[in-house]
Amino acid sequence: MKLANEKIKHPALWIPSNYFAMGLPFVAIAQASTLMYKNLGISDTQIAFWTSLIMLPWTLKPLWSPVLEMFKTKKHFVVATQILTGITFALVALSLPLNHFFKYSIALLGIVAISGSTHDIATDGVYMNALSSQDQAKYIGWQGAAYNLAKILTGGAFVYIAGQLEISFGVARAWMVIMGALGLIMILLGLYHIKMLP
């Protein structure tokens, strides 16, 4: 009976939130972090090199996709990576006032990248396992819309808010707020998906 209830969860309750969670870390690293580091005084050369390097997990994710099949469930990996990503964003926020903030924060964003790319694999797995072919086709637009919403929020609204906060609080504190907010969103999504994912 419990297994039947797990399968009944309406896709509208978890597809948008899950694909929003897929887009958020990617855009945070690809776009928001580059602006953050620029405003914190890091050179363009360092930003380009290190942000490109930590983006590699998204390119290489097919290499560990088969490994995930051997352990736990895809839902387990979705929830675990969302919570891990949230905690790591919070640690990035805490690292920004430190003397060697770039070294610490870029390493933490590397963890976010590994977690985020693993999340992508597991999310697509849940989508394909939980839905019929017809439903997969039906909800494909929901995926893109939710992912694009994450892009707009993370690469647009949060960057704008950071710029406004920089005027009042300074650069480091402004980006602490933004990274902390990203962390909180991811943790809340993880907790939500404990209940809502099939």
Side-chain angles (χ1 to χ4, degrees):
M1 184 72 172
K2 185 179 177 186
L3 189 59
N5 286 338
E6 287 292 319
K7 300 228 181 225
I8 294 174
K9 297 205 171 121
H10 196 281
L13 296 174
W14 58 269
I15 290 174
S17 55
N18 223 17
Y19 281 87
F20 178 87
M22 181 188 277
L24 189 143
F26 182 84
V27 179
I29 294 175
Q31 294 178 12
S33 72
T34 58
L35 293 169
M36 174 182 78
Y37 287 131
K38 179 77 173 169
N39 292 356
L40 287 165
I42 304 300
S43 71
D44 290 340
T45 306
Q46 279 188 295
I47 294 169
F49 176 78
W50 287 105
T51 56
S52 298
L53 186 65
I54 63 172
M55 293 296 291
L56 275 177
W58 275 285
T59 305
L60 303 175
K61 67 184 178 183
L63 298 178
W64 66 86
S65 176
V67 177
L68 296 186
E69 299 289 333
M70 300 187 297
F71 304 101
K72 300 281 185 180
T73 63
K74 289 173 181 65
K75 176 181 177 176
H76 169 84
F77 282 109
V78 169
V79 170
T81 54
Q82 287 174 357
I83 293 172
L84 174 63
T85 298
I87 291 168
T88 311
F89 270 130
L91 292 173
V92 170
L94 294 174
S95 75
L96 294 179
L98 302 177
N99 287 334
H100 301 288
F101 72 89
F102 183 67
K103 178 169 52 174
Y104 302 130
S105 62
I106 204 76
L108 289 164
L109 287 176
I111 295 169
V112 168
I114 293 167
S115 179
S117 58
T118 303
H119 173 269
D120 291 6
I121 297 165
T123 295
D124 287 337
V126 169
Y127 185 82
M128 296 187 72
N129 287 347
L131 301 178
S132 67
S133 298
Q134 293 83 359
D135 282 342
Q136 287 176 33
K138 180 179 174 183
Y139 289 100
I140 194 81
W142 293 49
Q143 288 180 339
Y147 191 91
N148 285 331
L149 182 61
K151 284 172 72 174
I152 292 165
L153 180 68
T154 310
F158 275 7
V159 169
Y160 173 78
I161 292 167
Q164 296 303 305
L165 291 175
E166 285 178 11
I167 298 166
S168 304
F169 300 115
V171 178
R173 285 186 182 172
W175 283 100
M176 284 178 72
V177 170
I178 299 304
M179 289 294 156
L182 294 176
L184 180 61
I185 290 168
M186 289 301 296
I187 290 169
L188 291 175
L189 286 169
L191 295 174
Y192 174 78
H193 289 134
I194 291 172
K195 180 75 175 167
M196 290 302 175
L197 273 185

